[in-house]
Amino acid sequence: MMDSLYPVREGFSVAEQSAVVIANTAVNPEYRHLVVTAEPPATAALAGQFFHLLCPSSPDGNPFLRRPMSVYAVDAMRGRVEFLYKLMGAGTRGLAMLEPGDRLNMLGPLGKGFALDPAWKHIIVLGRGVGLATLAPLALMAERASVRVTAILSARRPDLVMSVDLFRARGAEVIVVNDADHSSEVGNVERLLRDLVARGRADAFFTCGSNRLLLLLQRLGNEHGIPGQVALEQQMACALGMCFCCVRDFHAPNGGVEHRRVCWEGPVFGLQEPLSW
Amino acid sequence: MVDLAVDIGGLRLANPVMPASGTFSDGLARVIDFNRLGAFVIKTVTRELRAGNPTPRVAETAGGMLNSIGIPSKGIDYFFDETLPFYKRFKPPLVVSISAPTADGFASLATELGVSGVAAIEANISCPNLEEDGRAFAMTPHATASVVARLRAATKLPLWVKLTPNTGDIADVARAAEANGADAVVVANTILAMSIDVATFRPRLGSVTGGLSGPAVKPVILRQVYQCARAVKIDIVGCGGIATGADAVEYMLAGASAVQIGTATFIHPTALIRVIDEIEEFCNHRGFSRISALTGALMRAGVDETDLEWRQEAGE
Ligand SMILES: Cc1cc2nc3c(=O)[nH]c(=O)nc-3n(C[C@H](O)[C@H](O)[C@H](O)COP(=O)(O)OP(=O)(O)OC[C@H]3O[C@@H](n4cnc5c(N)ncnc54)[C@H](O)[C@@H]3O)c2cc1C
Ligand SMILES: Cc1cc2nc3c(=O)[nH]c(=O)nc-3n(C[C@H](O)[C@H](O)[C@H](O)COP(=O)(O)O)c2cc1C
Ligand code: FES
């Protein structure tokens, strides 16, 4: 098999790169933070875009397909890309074995990322679980565009909430909710959101990681005419729009339902476009 | 300089390496130089709009993957309005894969595709035949003969016929294609397979069964190429689990004149380019001035070689 990297030529917007692992550390019992070196075009990755990672084999198995992973942070100056990943199966458990100095074959940047409308002054970021990794780079993007952020971060337990410091460091107001004290229940999150809408803090909604929260935002967005964006996940093979593995259902412009590819038309879509699943 | 050019059923290719239908689209142009490919083979086109199968549509297996994409299709109008103009910008010839539920449907689609910019038709007859209880055309010599005859009468373009590995005697099916006017056979489509999640007791694919592809299928499809090569004189395009130049050479030695690469592109998007470079390197290294000399050059002990000296020479 072809494990080594094939030389990339200039001028292509997506490339396979052999990154060097700088750090790969546990954030909590379920999540790990991976920092790798990166060159262009990888360092051009935008918030909401992702990489397709060739995960090493481990005692948990030999991942054949690549695994999609959102950009958690990019530092083009220092040539770094970061990921925040949850331990799931063979792929992510293989990633967890990587030590500093090891190589990681990554393909990217891929997909369509988030976009900020210059008219927006204040946005709401609502994320849960793995979705927080995808939403995190929005904090920096908004700061650079002088857009204020209120981040509602949801998790099963308080110790599993991530990115609180990252959002605060970028000037965001952070509200943490969790299942342990029931604050993450849809009713409570809805109350928080309605309050923010009433105070003029919701020019747009951004979300990832929960179908229930997507439904809630679609409802509130409809009610108040507030636009938004959602990042979706789906199993992938190619991540380049070729195989049609990664489709989900969307409202078609003519009123029906149509398939769109999460890797190609997304992973970021307009808030009202996807059907819930 | 190695001459990489090959002639496949009347179509001249600058090199014998092309993508497999359904594993390639304009998206790959973000990663590789399309002008280096031997040909373009696009996702199977149908006349009507089709949604494809339920998700999950993909599952990984040891050394390969299962897919149950089906043939989602934006229809023939989309092909003429969007797909054809896109590929006209590049040098390699465009091979259009088609499918239909009836022999008539295949024939009318082939006729309609007789336009400038379409270099050859690849008839994907591995799809269900509504006139034969939904069994794939390519499962029997009889159904293959009738659909290929209709196609031959319907188009002057080079006609490639893509066979299914899910048949008892692929050589007989290849003979039926040849006898009814096919210019080449593509061997082969995916192997019908399934996988079950023991944690949930559910099938891993939304449509329960699907097609196996990738390195896991290579020995099976290689055997089928070999069997077809002994049965027919028309060109054979080998397709199944090819990921490296050595894999492509193996197919050519078994009798293929060209190769298609599918799943490998999902793992390494540069796989097509790499295989082209590696087969050229192979020829240089082994002193072949023409790649086409590899086709069918398999040496069988006691049959094709006069003595066993060749082992040493070849092994250097
Ligand atoms: C665009 C995108 C961005 C993502 N970003 C992140 C991120 O930043 N952090 C993070 O922890 N996870 C992220 N995910 C989910 C991550 O891809 C899966 O958790 C991972 O693929 C699981 O692989 P595994 O082998 O460990 O698990 P397994 O469950 O063994 O995986 C089996 C198969 O299912 C696929 N799969 C399983 N879960 C998912 C899923 N949720 N989405 C897509 N494919 C899945 C795997 O890729 C693999 O092919 C993202 C998914 C997508 C589509
Ligand atoms: C995701 C996927 C979609 C496919 N779609 C088609 C298709 O539309 N038409 C077709 O003739 N073959 C299709 N195939 C089969 C491939 O063209 C090829 O025959 C098969 O995958 C074996 O080659 P490989 O092992 O190199 O992938 C598809 C295969 C895959 C993996
Ligand atoms: S993963 Fe292949 S089309 Fe999206």
Side-chain angles (χ1 to χ4, degrees):
Chain A
M1 283 297 292
M2 307 191 297
D3 285 330
S4 61
L5 193 75
Y6 203 64
V8 181
R9 294 207 279 139
E10 301 283 307
F12 294 98
S13 62
V14 176
E16 202 181 333
Q17 299 195 348
S18 177
V20 179
V21 174
I22 294 170
N24 185 17
T25 48
V27 176
N28 60 39
E30 293 183 1
Y31 286 85
R32 294 179 74 88
H33 180 208
L34 174 64
V35 183
V36 301
T37 60
E39 302 159 24
T43 44
L46 304 171
Q49 286 193 299
F50 66 100
F51 284 84
H52 217 22
L53 307 182
L54 199 58
C55 303
S57 293
S58 76
D60 290 294
N62 309 308
F64 178 73
L65 298 169
R66 289 174 180 263
R67 300 297 195 259
M69 217 47 84
S70 296
V71 176
Y72 181 60
V74 189
D75 184 340
M77 296 287 290
R78 291 168 68 212
R80 301 269 192 279
V81 172
E82 301 177 27
F83 304 98
L84 184 68
Y85 63 99
K86 183 177 184 183
L87 293 175
M88 300 287 292
T92 48
R93 288 178 193 281
L95 279 185
M97 313 261 295
L98 290 171
E99 306 266 1
D102 286 350
R103 294 280 177 166
L104 171 67
N105 180 311
M106 58 183 202
L107 173 73
L110 297 161
K112 192 169 116 289
F114 295 107
L116 291 175
D117 186 319
W120 297 338
K121 299 275 178 289
H122 206 130
I123 61 171
I124 292 178
V125 173
L126 174 59
R128 180 170 168 93
V130 168
L132 296 176
T134 308
L135 294 166
L138 259 178
L140 177 60
M141 189 180 174
E143 187 188 50
R144 286 192 176 143
S146 304
V147 175
R148 300 295 311 250
V149 175
T150 308
I152 305 179
L153 309 180
S154 171
R156 289 206 319 280
R157 300 192 311 261
D159 62 306
L160 295 177
V161 182
M162 293 164 303
S163 309
V164 174
D165 296 341
L166 185 149
F167 274 96
R168 289 216 173 103
R170 300 291 167 202
E173 186 189 329
V174 178
I175 304 170
V176 173
V177 295
N178 66 77
D179 300 358
D181 68 3
H182 304 291
S183 55
S184 60
E185 280 172 10
V186 171
N188 188 54
V189 175
E190 179 166 355
R191 254 192 312 279
L192 293 169
L193 288 167
R194 285 191 183 278
D195 176 57
L196 290 163
V197 171
R199 290 195 281 134
R201 303 286 190 86
D203 295 333
F205 293 132
F206 290 82
T207 190
C208 180
S210 158
N211 189 37
R212 281 184 313 147
L213 296 179
L214 170 62
L215 281 171
L216 170 61
L217 289 181
Q218 285 182 331
R219 187 155 50 79
L220 291 180
N222 253 332
E223 193 179 316
H224 297 278
I226 297 169
Q229 290 158 29
V230 56
L232 297 181
E233 291 178 8
Q234 180 61 290
Q235 283 200 34
M236 294 182 179
C238 73
L240 283 165
M242 303 189 285
C243 71
F244 287 81
C245 284
C246 64
V247 297
R248 282 196 179 278
D249 289 338
F250 291 82
H251 296 287
N254 65 13
V257 173
E258 66 181 19
H259 281 145
R260 291 186 207 160
R261 293 160 291 184
V262 170
C263 76
W264 191 250
E265 280 91 16
V268 175
F269 295 93
L271 184 64
Q272 303 293 348
E273 293 172 12
L275 272 71
S276 62
W277 60 94
Chain B
M1 266 301 280
V2 181
D3 179 5
L4 289 180
V6 292
D7 188 302
I8 305 299
L11 180 64
R12 190 89 181 147
L13 311 184
N15 69 66
V17 179
M18 62 193 116
S21 174
T23 65
F24 173 81
S25 76
D26 54 317
L28 197 61
R30 291 191 185 175
V31 197
I32 65 165
D33 178 359
F34 274 14
N35 282 325
R36 291 211 48 206
L37 302 178
F40 297 122
V41 184
I42 56 164
K43 173 82 188 168
T44 301
V45 175
T46 61
R47 175 174 301 287
E48 71 284 12
L49 296 170
R50 291 168 51 102
N53 289 325
T55 56
R57 291 176 165 190
V58 59
E60 112 186 322
T61 56
M65 62 177 275
L66 298 174
N67 89 81
S68 58
I69 310 294
I71 304 182
S73 170
K74 291 187 176 154
I76 189 69
D77 292 341
Y78 184 89
F79 170 81
F80 285 117
D81 296 345
E82 305 287 337
T83 315
L84 184 58
F86 174 82
Y87 287 103
K88 274 188 171 174
R89 311 199 322 241
F90 302 97
K91 280 185 285 186
L94 177 65
V95 179
V96 180
S97 169
I98 61 169
S99 172
T102 62
D104 272 349
F106 265 105
S108 77
L109 207 47
T111 302
E112 206 170 325
L113 286 166
V115 297
S116 130
V118 177
I121 301 282
E122 180 178 290
N124 173 12
I125 60 168
S126 313
C127 57
N129 175 0
L130 291 190
E131 290 153 340
E132 293 262 347
D133 273 350
R135 275 191 307 158
F137 292 89
M139 280 175 70
T140 63
H142 156 80
T144 300
S146 69
V147 70
V148 173
R150 294 299 313 274
L151 277 162
R152 184 68 289 167
T155 182
K156 290 196 167 56
L157 286 172
L159 176 61
W160 301 2
V161 175
K162 185 164 176 184
L163 306 187
T164 177
N166 308 310
T167 176
D169 191 349
I170 198 165
D172 262 356
V173 176
R175 272 188 214 104
E178 177 179 50
N180 287 278
D183 297 305
V185 283
V186 181
V187 182
N189 215 304
T190 52
I191 299 179
L192 193 60
M194 69 184 283
S195 169
I196 300 170
D197 184 342
V198 295
T200 61
F201 287 31
R202 286 174 194 274
R204 286 190 201 270
L205 292 176
S207 54
V208 185
T209 59
L212 179 65
S213 64
V217 308
K218 203 188 82 181
V220 177
I221 309 298
L222 187 70
R223 178 266 297 175
Q224 294 190 323
V225 163
Y226 174 69
Q227 289 177 318
C228 289
R230 308 191 76 195
V232 299
K233 292 199 170 56
I234 53 175
D235 293 314
I236 296 172
V237 180
C239 175
I242 298 171
T244 65
D247 294 337
V249 168
E250 221 178 321
Y251 269 92
M252 296 188 78
L253 294 176
S257 300
V259 293
Q260 294 184 347
I261 295 174
T263 304
T265 299
F266 298 167
I267 314 302
H268 294 284
T270 50
L272 285 153
I273 305 299
R274 181 168 176 163
V275 169
I276 296 167
D277 290 348
E278 287 181 354
I279 55 174
E280 178 165 22
E281 213 176 285
F282 179 91
C283 289
N284 267 325
H285 184 65
R286 299 295 291 265
F288 286 94
S289 57
R290 287 180 306 114
I291 188 89
S292 55
L294 292 177
T295 297
L298 178 74
M299 301 271 235
R300 291 171 306 163
V303 182
D304 297 315
E305 83 266 22
T306 43
D307 55 52
L308 287 176
E309 291 302 308
W310 67 274
R311 279 178 192 278
Q312 266 153 355
E313 285 163 33
E316 294 174 289

